[in-house]
PDB file of all heavy atoms in Angstrom:
ATOM      1  N   ILE A   1       0.885  -1.169   0.040  1.00  0.00           N
ATOM      2  CA  ILE A   1      -0.044  -0.019   0.033  1.00  0.00           C
ATOM      3  C   ILE A   1       0.901   1.107   0.004  1.00  0.00           C
ATOM      4  O   ILE A   1       1.667   1.470   0.913  1.00  0.00           O
ATOM      5  CB  ILE A   1      -0.894   0.045   1.230  1.00  0.00           C
ATOM      6  CG1 ILE A   1      -1.639  -1.236   1.400  1.00  0.00           C
ATOM      7  CG2 ILE A   1      -1.822   1.290   1.180  1.00  0.00           C
ATOM      8  CD1 ILE A   1      -2.679  -1.582   0.269  1.00  0.00           C
ATOM      9  N   ALA A   2       0.901   1.946  -1.090  1.00  0.00           N
ATOM     10  CA  ALA A   2       1.926   3.056  -1.257  1.00  0.00           C
ATOM     11  C   ALA A   2       1.904   4.058  -0.077  1.00  0.00           C
ATOM     12  O   ALA A   2       2.989   4.450   0.429  1.00  0.00           O
ATOM     13  CB  ALA A   2       1.662   3.757  -2.609  1.00  0.00           C
ATOM     14  N   VAL A   3       0.695   4.466   0.441  1.00  0.00           N
ATOM     15  CA  VAL A   3       0.761   5.432   1.479  1.00  0.00           C
ATOM     16  C   VAL A   3       1.333   4.890   2.758  1.00  0.00           C
ATOM     17  O   VAL A   3       1.789   5.588   3.618  1.00  0.00           O
ATOM     18  CB  VAL A   3      -0.695   6.000   1.760  1.00  0.00           C
ATOM     19  CG1 VAL A   3      -1.159   6.812   0.629  1.00  0.00           C
ATOM     20  CG2 VAL A   3      -1.658   4.839   2.010  1.00  0.00           C
ATOM     21  N   GLU A   4       1.396   3.549   2.923  1.00  0.00           N
ATOM     22  CA  GLU A   4       2.004   2.948   4.043  1.00  0.00           C
ATOM     23  C   GLU A   4       3.559   2.705   3.690  1.00  0.00           C
ATOM     24  O   GLU A   4       4.402   2.882   4.508  1.00  0.00           O
ATOM     25  CB  GLU A   4       1.373   1.612   4.393  1.00  0.00           C
ATOM     26  CG  GLU A   4      -0.054   1.793   4.957  1.00  0.00           C
ATOM     27  CD  GLU A   4      -0.122   2.712   6.201  1.00  0.00           C
ATOM     28  OE1 GLU A   4       0.717   2.587   7.000  1.00  0.00           O
ATOM     29  OE2 GLU A   4      -1.059   3.525   6.272  1.00  0.00           O
ATOM     30  N   ALA A   5       3.811   2.267   2.480  1.00  0.00           N
ATOM     31  CA  ALA A   5       5.120   1.874   2.084  1.00  0.00           C
ATOM     32  C   ALA A   5       6.081   3.044   2.114  1.00  0.00           C
ATOM     33  O   ALA A   5       7.220   3.006   2.550  1.00  0.00           O
ATOM     34  CB  ALA A   5       5.213   1.300   0.666  1.00  0.00           C
ATOM     35  N   VAL A   6       5.637   4.304   1.639  1.00  0.00           N
ATOM     36  CA  VAL A   6       6.551   5.452   1.599  1.00  0.00           C
ATOM     37  C   VAL A   6       6.963   5.835   3.010  1.00  0.00           C
ATOM     38  O   VAL A   6       8.013   6.543   3.187  1.00  0.00           O
ATOM     39  CB  VAL A   6       5.876   6.587   0.917  1.00  0.00           C
ATOM     40  CG1 VAL A   6       5.603   6.265  -0.552  1.00  0.00           C
ATOM     41  CG2 VAL A   6       4.556   7.102   1.598  1.00  0.00           C
ATOM     42  N   LYS A   7       6.262   5.466   4.123  1.00  0.00           N
ATOM     43  CA  LYS A   7       6.679   5.807   5.442  1.00  0.00           C
ATOM     44  C   LYS A   7       7.986   5.049   5.721  1.00  0.00           C
ATOM     45  O   LYS A   7       8.678   5.403   6.760  1.00  0.00           O
ATOM     46  CB  LYS A   7       5.542   5.398   6.458  1.00  0.00           C
ATOM     47  CG  LYS A   7       4.347   6.215   6.269  1.00  0.00           C
ATOM     48  CD  LYS A   7       3.211   5.686   7.235  1.00  0.00           C
ATOM     49  CE  LYS A   7       1.867   6.458   6.989  1.00  0.00           C
ATOM     50  NZ  LYS A   7       0.773   5.928   7.715  1.00  0.00           N
ATOM     51  N   HIS A   8       8.190   3.926   5.050  1.00  0.00           N
ATOM     52  CA  HIS A   8       9.381   3.073   5.303  1.00  0.00           C
ATOM     53  C   HIS A   8      10.596   3.387   4.412  1.00  0.00           C
ATOM     54  O   HIS A   8      11.591   2.601   4.384  1.00  0.00           O
ATOM     55  CB  HIS A   8       8.936   1.585   5.139  1.00  0.00           C
ATOM     56  CG  HIS A   8       7.927   1.154   6.110  1.00  0.00           C
ATOM     57  ND1 HIS A   8       8.230   0.752   7.362  1.00  0.00           N
ATOM     58  CD2 HIS A   8       6.562   1.108   5.973  1.00  0.00           C
ATOM     59  CE1 HIS A   8       7.078   0.426   8.046  1.00  0.00           C
ATOM     60  NE2 HIS A   8       6.072   0.622   7.169  1.00  0.00           N
ATOM     61  N   ILE A   9      10.495   4.515   3.600  1.00  0.00           N
ATOM     62  CA  ILE A   9      11.605   4.897   2.839  1.00  0.00           C
ATOM     63  C   ILE A   9      12.741   5.293   3.786  1.00  0.00           C
ATOM     64  O   ILE A   9      12.575   6.168   4.590  1.00  0.00           O
ATOM     65  CB  ILE A   9      11.288   5.958   1.870  1.00  0.00           C
ATOM     66  CG1 ILE A   9      10.268   5.471   0.859  1.00  0.00           C
ATOM     67  CG2 ILE A   9      12.545   6.540   1.093  1.00  0.00           C
ATOM     68  CD1 ILE A   9       9.675   6.543  -0.100  1.00  0.00           C
ATOM     69  N   SER A  10      13.934   4.749   3.600  1.00  0.00           N
ATOM     70  CA  SER A  10      15.049   5.049   4.539  1.00  0.00           C
ATOM     71  C   SER A  10      16.211   5.827   3.796  1.00  0.00           C
ATOM     72  O   SER A  10      16.994   6.409   4.458  1.00  0.00           O
ATOM     73  CB  SER A  10      15.628   3.810   5.221  1.00  0.00           C
ATOM     74  OG  SER A  10      16.019   2.981   4.200  1.00  0.00           O
ATOM     75  N   ALA A  11      16.096   5.771   2.453  1.00  0.00           N
ATOM     76  CA  ALA A  11      17.144   6.510   1.665  1.00  0.00           C
ATOM     77  C   ALA A  11      16.708   6.837   0.250  1.00  0.00           C
ATOM     78  O   ALA A  11      16.021   6.029  -0.286  1.00  0.00           O
ATOM     79  CB  ALA A  11      18.519   5.633   1.591  1.00  0.00           C
ATOM     80  N   VAL A  12      17.033   8.008  -0.167  1.00  0.00           N
ATOM     81  CA  VAL A  12      16.771   8.491  -1.536  1.00  0.00           C
ATOM     82  C   VAL A  12      18.017   8.778  -2.320  1.00  0.00           C
ATOM     83  O   VAL A  12      18.849   9.562  -1.799  1.00  0.00           O
ATOM     84  CB  VAL A  12      15.709   9.678  -1.482  1.00  0.00           C
ATOM     85  CG1 VAL A  12      15.519  10.108  -2.891  1.00  0.00           C
ATOM     86  CG2 VAL A  12      14.515   9.375  -0.702  1.00  0.00           C
ATOM     87  N   GLY A  13      18.172   8.149  -3.438  1.00  0.00           N
ATOM     88  CA  GLY A  13      19.458   8.287  -4.177  1.00  0.00           C
ATOM     89  C   GLY A  13      19.676   9.660  -4.778  1.00  0.00           C
ATOM     90  O   GLY A  13      18.803  10.448  -4.966  1.00  0.00           O
ATOM     91  N   ASN A  14      21.002   9.941  -5.080  1.00  0.00           N
ATOM     92  CA  ASN A  14      21.355  11.211  -5.695  1.00  0.00           C
ATOM     93  C   ASN A  14      21.398  11.060  -7.189  1.00  0.00           C
ATOM     94  O   ASN A  14      21.959  11.996  -7.841  1.00  0.00           O
ATOM     95  CB  ASN A  14      22.751  11.648  -5.126  1.00  0.00           C
ATOM     96  CG  ASN A  14      23.804  10.598  -5.329  1.00  0.00           C
ATOM     97  OD1 ASN A  14      23.655   9.656  -6.137  1.00  0.00           O
ATOM     98  ND2 ASN A  14      24.958  10.715  -4.547  1.00  0.00           N
ATOM     99  N   ASP A  15      20.837  10.076  -7.792  1.00  0.00           N
ATOM    100  CA  ASP A  15      20.829   9.837  -9.177  1.00  0.00           C
ATOM    101  C   ASP A  15      19.480  10.075  -9.743  1.00  0.00           C
ATOM    102  O   ASP A  15      18.591  10.466  -8.967  1.00  0.00           O
ATOM    103  CB  ASP A  15      21.337   8.423  -9.618  1.00  0.00           C
ATOM    104  CG  ASP A  15      20.524   7.412  -8.916  1.00  0.00           C
ATOM    105  OD1 ASP A  15      19.694   7.653  -7.948  1.00  0.00           O
ATOM    106  OD2 ASP A  15      20.585   6.155  -9.271  1.00  0.00           O
ATOM    107  N   PHE A  16      19.199   9.833 -10.973  1.00  0.00           N
ATOM    108  CA  PHE A  16      17.804  10.006 -11.554  1.00  0.00           C
ATOM    109  C   PHE A  16      17.723   9.238 -12.920  1.00  0.00           C
ATOM    110  O   PHE A  16      18.638   9.224 -13.691  1.00  0.00           O
ATOM    111  CB  PHE A  16      17.541  11.479 -11.900  1.00  0.00           C
ATOM    112  CG  PHE A  16      16.059  11.814 -12.314  1.00  0.00           C
ATOM    113  CD1 PHE A  16      15.119  11.841 -11.322  1.00  0.00           C
ATOM    114  CD2 PHE A  16      15.818  11.835 -13.628  1.00  0.00           C
ATOM    115  CE1 PHE A  16      13.759  12.104 -11.767  1.00  0.00           C
ATOM    116  CE2 PHE A  16      14.479  12.003 -13.981  1.00  0.00           C
ATOM    117  CZ  PHE A  16      13.423  12.208 -13.045  1.00  0.00           C
ATOM    118  N   GLY A  17      16.616   8.582 -13.086  1.00  0.00           N
ATOM    119  CA  GLY A  17      16.302   7.849 -14.260  1.00  0.00           C
ATOM    120  C   GLY A  17      14.878   7.938 -14.556  1.00  0.00           C
ATOM    121  O   GLY A  17      14.050   8.255 -13.711  1.00  0.00           O
ATOM    122  N   SER A  18      14.462   7.718 -15.848  1.00  0.00           N
ATOM    123  CA  SER A  18      13.129   7.827 -16.182  1.00  0.00           C
ATOM    124  C   SER A  18      12.645   6.737 -17.163  1.00  0.00           C
ATOM    125  O   SER A  18      13.501   6.061 -17.751  1.00  0.00           O
ATOM    126  CB  SER A  18      12.713   9.171 -16.763  1.00  0.00           C
ATOM    127  OG  SER A  18      13.439   9.374 -17.985  1.00  0.00           O
ATOM    128  N   ALA A  19      11.393   6.523 -17.282  1.00  0.00           N
ATOM    129  CA  ALA A  19      10.737   5.601 -18.117  1.00  0.00           C
ATOM    130  C   ALA A  19       9.668   6.350 -18.921  1.00  0.00           C
ATOM    131  O   ALA A  19       9.088   7.228 -18.332  1.00  0.00           O
ATOM    132  CB  ALA A  19      10.258   4.366 -17.494  1.00  0.00           C
ATOM    133  N   LEU A  20       9.350   5.850 -20.109  1.00  0.00           N
ATOM    134  CA  LEU A  20       8.224   6.464 -20.827  1.00  0.00           C
ATOM    135  C   LEU A  20       7.322   5.501 -21.392  1.00  0.00           C
ATOM    136  O   LEU A  20       7.562   4.271 -21.549  1.00  0.00           O
ATOM    137  CB  LEU A  20       8.844   7.325 -21.917  1.00  0.00           C
ATOM    138  CG  LEU A  20       9.857   6.662 -23.033  1.00  0.00           C
ATOM    139  CD1 LEU A  20       8.972   6.140 -24.179  1.00  0.00           C
ATOM    140  CD2 LEU A  20      10.738   7.690 -23.506  1.00  0.00           C
ATOM    141  N   GLY A  21       6.114   5.929 -21.810  1.00  0.00           N
ATOM    142  CA  GLY A  21       5.083   5.046 -22.376  1.00  0.00           C
ATOM    143  C   GLY A  21       3.753   5.781 -22.438  1.00  0.00           C
ATOM    144  O   GLY A  21       3.664   6.999 -22.416  1.00  0.00           O
ATOM    145  N   ALA A  22       2.696   4.995 -22.532  1.00  0.00           N
ATOM    146  CA  ALA A  22       1.374   5.481 -22.718  1.00  0.00           C
ATOM    147  C   ALA A  22       0.604   5.144 -21.494  1.00  0.00           C
ATOM    148  O   ALA A  22       0.695   4.049 -20.981  1.00  0.00           O
ATOM    149  CB  ALA A  22       0.695   4.955 -23.965  1.00  0.00           C
ATOM    150  N   CYS A  23      -0.151   6.037 -20.960  1.00  0.00           N
ATOM    151  CA  CYS A  23      -1.006   5.839 -19.719  1.00  0.00           C
ATOM    152  C   CYS A  23      -2.471   5.910 -20.117  1.00  0.00           C
ATOM    153  O   CYS A  23      -2.902   6.827 -20.851  1.00  0.00           O
ATOM    154  CB  CYS A  23      -0.653   6.971 -18.713  1.00  0.00           C
ATOM    155  SG  CYS A  23      -1.867   7.026 -17.296  1.00  0.00           S
ATOM    156  N   GLY A  24      -3.212   4.986 -19.612  1.00  0.00           N
ATOM    157  CA  GLY A  24      -4.626   4.905 -19.923  1.00  0.00           C
ATOM    158  C   GLY A  24      -5.519   5.453 -18.756  1.00  0.00           C
ATOM    159  O   GLY A  24      -5.086   5.216 -17.535  1.00  0.00           O
ATOM    160  N   LYS A  25      -6.570   6.143 -19.063  1.00  0.00           N
ATOM    161  CA  LYS A  25      -7.536   6.588 -18.145  1.00  0.00           C
ATOM    162  C   LYS A  25      -8.950   6.662 -18.795  1.00  0.00           C
ATOM    163  O   LYS A  25      -9.107   7.320 -19.732  1.00  0.00           O
ATOM    164  CB  LYS A  25      -7.197   7.959 -17.567  1.00  0.00           C
ATOM    165  CG  LYS A  25      -8.115   8.450 -16.437  1.00  0.00           C
ATOM    166  CD  LYS A  25      -7.646   9.813 -15.914  1.00  0.00           C
ATOM    167  CE  LYS A  25      -8.521  10.300 -14.807  1.00  0.00           C
ATOM    168  NZ  LYS A  25      -8.103  11.633 -14.181  1.00  0.00           N
ATOM    169  N   GLY A  26      -9.764   5.622 -18.335  1.00  0.00           N
ATOM    170  CA  GLY A  26     -11.040   5.490 -19.137  1.00  0.00           C
ATOM    171  C   GLY A  26     -10.634   4.936 -20.480  1.00  0.00           C
ATOM    172  O   GLY A  26      -9.945   3.831 -20.532  1.00  0.00           O
ATOM    173  N   THR A  27     -11.142   5.458 -21.523  1.00  0.00           N
ATOM    174  CA  THR A  27     -10.857   4.968 -22.845  1.00  0.00           C
ATOM    175  C   THR A  27      -9.688   5.706 -23.504  1.00  0.00           C
ATOM    176  O   THR A  27      -9.372   5.471 -24.733  1.00  0.00           O
ATOM    177  CB  THR A  27     -12.055   5.039 -23.719  1.00  0.00           C
ATOM    178  OG1 THR A  27     -12.474   6.441 -23.765  1.00  0.00           O
ATOM    179  CG2 THR A  27     -13.244   4.316 -23.085  1.00  0.00           C
ATOM    180  N   GLN A  28      -9.108   6.688 -22.837  1.00  0.00           N
ATOM    181  CA  GLN A  28      -8.065   7.513 -23.467  1.00  0.00           C
ATOM    182  C   GLN A  28      -6.653   7.095 -23.085  1.00  0.00           C
ATOM    183  O   GLN A  28      -6.392   6.657 -21.914  1.00  0.00           O
ATOM    184  CB  GLN A  28      -8.250   9.023 -23.027  1.00  0.00           C
ATOM    185  CG  GLN A  28      -9.518   9.634 -23.559  1.00  0.00           C
ATOM    186  CD  GLN A  28      -9.459  11.098 -23.414  1.00  0.00           C
ATOM    187  OE1 GLN A  28      -8.514  11.816 -23.765  1.00  0.00           O
ATOM    188  NE2 GLN A  28     -10.543  11.742 -23.003  1.00  0.00           N
ATOM    189  N   MET A  29      -5.709   7.276 -24.013  1.00  0.00           N
ATOM    190  CA  MET A  29      -4.257   7.150 -23.665  1.00  0.00           C
ATOM    191  C   MET A  29      -3.553   8.368 -23.995  1.00  0.00           C
ATOM    192  O   MET A  29      -3.807   9.021 -24.998  1.00  0.00           O
ATOM    193  CB  MET A  29      -3.711   5.937 -24.636  1.00  0.00           C
ATOM    194  CG  MET A  29      -4.457   4.590 -24.478  1.00  0.00           C
ATOM    195  SD  MET A  29      -4.105   3.759 -22.887  1.00  0.00           S
ATOM    196  CE  MET A  29      -2.381   3.233 -23.137  1.00  0.00           C
ATOM    197  N   VAL A  30      -2.565   8.718 -23.175  1.00  0.00           N
ATOM    198  CA  VAL A  30      -1.682   9.887 -23.492  1.00  0.00           C
ATOM    199  C   VAL A  30      -0.229   9.444 -23.170  1.00  0.00           C
ATOM    200  O   VAL A  30      -0.029   8.537 -22.347  1.00  0.00           O
ATOM    201  CB  VAL A  30      -2.064  11.084 -22.646  1.00  0.00           C
ATOM    202  CG1 VAL A  30      -3.414  11.642 -23.078  1.00  0.00           C
ATOM    203  CG2 VAL A  30      -1.979  10.843 -21.124  1.00  0.00           C
ATOM    204  N   TRP A  31       0.644  10.135 -23.829  1.00  0.00           N
ATOM    205  CA  TRP A  31       2.074   9.872 -23.555  1.00  0.00           C
ATOM    206  C   TRP A  31       2.489  10.503 -22.324  1.00  0.00           C
ATOM    207  O   TRP A  31       2.222  11.626 -21.904  1.00  0.00           O
ATOM    208  CB  TRP A  31       2.910  10.506 -24.720  1.00  0.00           C
ATOM    209  CG  TRP A  31       2.688   9.940 -26.060  1.00  0.00           C
ATOM    210  CD1 TRP A  31       2.243  10.680 -27.183  1.00  0.00           C
ATOM    211  CD2 TRP A  31       2.894   8.599 -26.574  1.00  0.00           C
ATOM    212  NE1 TRP A  31       2.140   9.741 -28.208  1.00  0.00           N
ATOM    213  CE2 TRP A  31       2.576   8.595 -27.864  1.00  0.00           C
ATOM    214  CE3 TRP A  31       3.332   7.439 -25.907  1.00  0.00           C
ATOM    215  CZ2 TRP A  31       2.652   7.364 -28.659  1.00  0.00           C
ATOM    216  CZ3 TRP A  31       3.427   6.269 -26.687  1.00  0.00           C
ATOM    217  CH2 TRP A  31       3.160   6.225 -28.033  1.00  0.00           C
ATOM    218  N   VAL A  32       3.230   9.735 -21.538  1.00  0.00           N
ATOM    219  CA  VAL A  32       3.754  10.201 -20.203  1.00  0.00           C
ATOM    220  C   VAL A  32       5.228   9.696 -19.958  1.00  0.00           C
ATOM    221  O   VAL A  32       5.679   8.741 -20.580  1.00  0.00           O
ATOM    222  CB  VAL A  32       2.859   9.672 -18.951  1.00  0.00           C
ATOM    223  CG1 VAL A  32       1.486  10.222 -19.153  1.00  0.00           C
ATOM    224  CG2 VAL A  32       2.826   8.148 -19.021  1.00  0.00           C
ATOM    225  N   SER A  33       5.812  10.246 -18.927  1.00  0.00           N
ATOM    226  CA  SER A  33       7.038   9.730 -18.381  1.00  0.00           C
ATOM    227  C   SER A  33       6.924   9.682 -16.893  1.00  0.00           C
ATOM    228  O   SER A  33       6.042  10.308 -16.273  1.00  0.00           O
ATOM    229  CB  SER A  33       8.299  10.624 -18.689  1.00  0.00           C
ATOM    230  OG  SER A  33       8.631  10.614 -20.082  1.00  0.00           O
ATOM    231  N   SER A  34       7.716   8.786 -16.302  1.00  0.00           N
ATOM    232  CA  SER A  34       7.742   8.763 -14.798  1.00  0.00           C
ATOM    233  C   SER A  34       9.259   8.411 -14.456  1.00  0.00           C
ATOM    234  O   SER A  34       9.946   7.917 -15.253  1.00  0.00           O
ATOM    235  CB  SER A  34       6.780   7.697 -14.263  1.00  0.00           C
ATOM    236  OG  SER A  34       6.980   6.525 -14.857  1.00  0.00           O
ATOM    237  N   GLY A  35       9.593   8.738 -13.251  1.00  0.00           N
ATOM    238  CA  GLY A  35      10.985   8.567 -12.878  1.00  0.00           C
ATOM    239  C   GLY A  35      11.354   8.764 -11.463  1.00  0.00           C
ATOM    240  O   GLY A  35      10.444   8.941 -10.595  1.00  0.00           O
ATOM    241  N   GLY A  36      12.652   8.855 -11.149  1.00  0.00           N
ATOM    242  CA  GLY A  36      13.053   9.048  -9.850  1.00  0.00           C
ATOM    243  C   GLY A  36      14.503   8.483  -9.731  1.00  0.00           C
ATOM    244  O   GLY A  36      15.151   7.961 -10.613  1.00  0.00           O
ATOM    245  N   PRO A  37      15.036   8.556  -8.482  1.00  0.00           N
ATOM    246  CA  PRO A  37      16.399   7.998  -8.212  1.00  0.00           C
ATOM    247  C   PRO A  37      16.209   6.580  -7.615  1.00  0.00           C
ATOM    248  O   PRO A  37      15.096   6.061  -7.517  1.00  0.00           O
ATOM    249  CB  PRO A  37      16.799   8.911  -7.098  1.00  0.00           C
ATOM    250  CG  PRO A  37      15.520   9.324  -6.382  1.00  0.00           C
ATOM    251  CD  PRO A  37      14.489   9.369  -7.401  1.00  0.00           C
ATOM    252  N   HIS A  38      17.326   5.953  -7.286  1.00  0.00           N
ATOM    253  CA  HIS A  38      17.268   4.721  -6.436  1.00  0.00           C
ATOM    254  C   HIS A  38      16.562   5.083  -5.069  1.00  0.00           C
ATOM    255  O   HIS A  38      16.851   6.151  -4.582  1.00  0.00           O
ATOM    256  CB  HIS A  38      18.610   4.177  -6.260  1.00  0.00           C
ATOM    257  CG  HIS A  38      19.201   3.350  -7.359  1.00  0.00           C
ATOM    258  ND1 HIS A  38      19.731   3.972  -8.540  1.00  0.00           N
ATOM    259  CD2 HIS A  38      19.217   2.037  -7.650  1.00  0.00           C
ATOM    260  CE1 HIS A  38      20.022   2.991  -9.443  1.00  0.00           C
ATOM    261  NE2 HIS A  38      19.781   1.900  -8.890  1.00  0.00           N
ATOM    262  N   MET A  39      15.834   4.157  -4.596  1.00  0.00           N
ATOM    263  CA  MET A  39      15.266   4.364  -3.247  1.00  0.00           C
ATOM    264  C   MET A  39      15.342   3.034  -2.407  1.00  0.00           C
ATOM    265  O   MET A  39      15.157   1.990  -2.999  1.00  0.00           O
ATOM    266  CB  MET A  39      13.792   4.794  -3.429  1.00  0.00           C
ATOM    267  CG  MET A  39      13.629   6.071  -4.260  1.00  0.00           C
ATOM    268  SD  MET A  39      11.890   6.557  -4.520  1.00  0.00           S
ATOM    269  CE  MET A  39      11.491   7.155  -2.863  1.00  0.00           C
ATOM    270  N   ARG A  40      15.535   3.244  -1.099  1.00  0.00           N
ATOM    271  CA  ARG A  40      15.519   2.101  -0.241  1.00  0.00           C
ATOM    272  C   ARG A  40      14.311   2.104   0.672  1.00  0.00           C
ATOM    273  O   ARG A  40      14.032   3.106   1.268  1.00  0.00           O
ATOM    274  CB  ARG A  40      16.880   2.128   0.585  1.00  0.00           C
ATOM    275  CG  ARG A  40      16.902   1.041   1.687  1.00  0.00           C
ATOM    276  CD  ARG A  40      18.242   0.916   2.318  1.00  0.00           C
ATOM    277  NE  ARG A  40      18.141   0.191   3.558  1.00  0.00           N
ATOM    278  CZ  ARG A  40      19.275  -0.142   4.272  1.00  0.00           C
ATOM    279  NH1 ARG A  40      20.516   0.257   3.884  1.00  0.00           N
ATOM    280  NH2 ARG A  40      19.125  -0.838   5.388  1.00  0.00           N
ATOM    281  N   PHE A  41      13.699   0.923   0.790  1.00  0.00           N
ATOM    282  CA  PHE A  41      12.578   0.737   1.607  1.00  0.00           C
ATOM    283  C   PHE A  41      12.971  -0.284   2.707  1.00  0.00           C
ATOM    284  O   PHE A  41      13.301  -1.427   2.283  1.00  0.00           O
ATOM    285  CB  PHE A  41      11.358   0.210   0.905  1.00  0.00           C
ATOM    286  CG  PHE A  41      10.666   1.259   0.034  1.00  0.00           C
ATOM    287  CD1 PHE A  41      11.331   1.676  -1.201  1.00  0.00           C
ATOM    288  CD2 PHE A  41       9.458   1.792   0.325  1.00  0.00           C
ATOM    289  CE1 PHE A  41      10.708   2.606  -1.993  1.00  0.00           C
ATOM    290  CE2 PHE A  41       8.797   2.718  -0.485  1.00  0.00           C
ATOM    291  CZ  PHE A  41       9.474   3.148  -1.730  1.00  0.00           C
ATOM    292  N   ASP A  42      12.786   0.032   3.946  1.00  0.00           N
ATOM    293  CA  ASP A  42      13.051  -0.973   4.989  1.00  0.00           C
ATOM    294  C   ASP A  42      11.754  -1.369   5.610  1.00  0.00           C
ATOM    295  O   ASP A  42      11.387  -1.209   6.797  1.00  0.00           O
ATOM    296  CB  ASP A  42      13.942  -0.347   6.067  1.00  0.00           C
ATOM    297  CG  ASP A  42      15.362  -0.255   5.660  1.00  0.00           C
ATOM    298  OD1 ASP A  42      15.864  -1.154   4.935  1.00  0.00           O
ATOM    299  OD2 ASP A  42      16.084   0.765   5.974  1.00  0.00           O
ATOM    300  N   GLY A  43      10.868  -1.998   4.730  1.00  0.00           N
ATOM    301  CA  GLY A  43       9.550  -2.418   5.155  1.00  0.00           C
ATOM    302  C   GLY A  43       8.511  -1.803   4.269  1.00  0.00           C
ATOM    303  O   GLY A  43       8.805  -0.997   3.422  1.00  0.00           O
ATOM    304  N   GLY A  44       7.289  -2.364   4.334  1.00  0.00           N
ATOM    305  CA  GLY A  44       6.129  -1.758   3.652  1.00  0.00           C
ATOM    306  C   GLY A  44       6.054  -2.390   2.243  1.00  0.00           C
ATOM    307  O   GLY A  44       5.011  -2.129   1.596  1.00  0.00           O
ATOM    308  N   ILE A  45       6.990  -3.196   1.803  1.00  0.00           N
ATOM    309  CA  ILE A  45       6.865  -3.797   0.493  1.00  0.00           C
ATOM    310  C   ILE A  45       7.087  -5.358   0.662  1.00  0.00           C
ATOM    311  O   ILE A  45       8.118  -5.717   1.316  1.00  0.00           O
ATOM    312  CB  ILE A  45       7.877  -3.292  -0.468  1.00  0.00           C
ATOM    313  CG1 ILE A  45       7.580  -1.796  -0.819  1.00  0.00           C
ATOM    314  CG2 ILE A  45       7.827  -4.091  -1.790  1.00  0.00           C
ATOM    315  CD1 ILE A  45       8.517  -1.150  -1.830  1.00  0.00           C
ATOM    316  N   LEU A  46       6.077  -6.123   0.245  1.00  0.00           N
ATOM    317  CA  LEU A  46       6.276  -7.566   0.310  1.00  0.00           C
ATOM    318  C   LEU A  46       6.719  -8.095  -1.052  1.00  0.00           C
ATOM    319  O   LEU A  46       6.112  -7.753  -2.070  1.00  0.00           O
ATOM    320  CB  LEU A  46       4.885  -8.185   0.704  1.00  0.00           C
ATOM    321  CG  LEU A  46       4.816  -9.759   0.680  1.00  0.00           C
ATOM    322  CD1 LEU A  46       5.636 -10.307   1.835  1.00  0.00           C
ATOM    323  CD2 LEU A  46       3.298 -10.146   0.781  1.00  0.00           C
TER     324      LEU A  46
END
């Protein structure tokens, strides 16, 4: 559960990377990117 998992983030990296693709909402698709650095979770993810 993301709102619970993010409480367990213990480190956020100093790098950055991204991914791209199409995102659907209803019947529509639009081009998007998403990204971030390396991140460490000490719990909250199974």
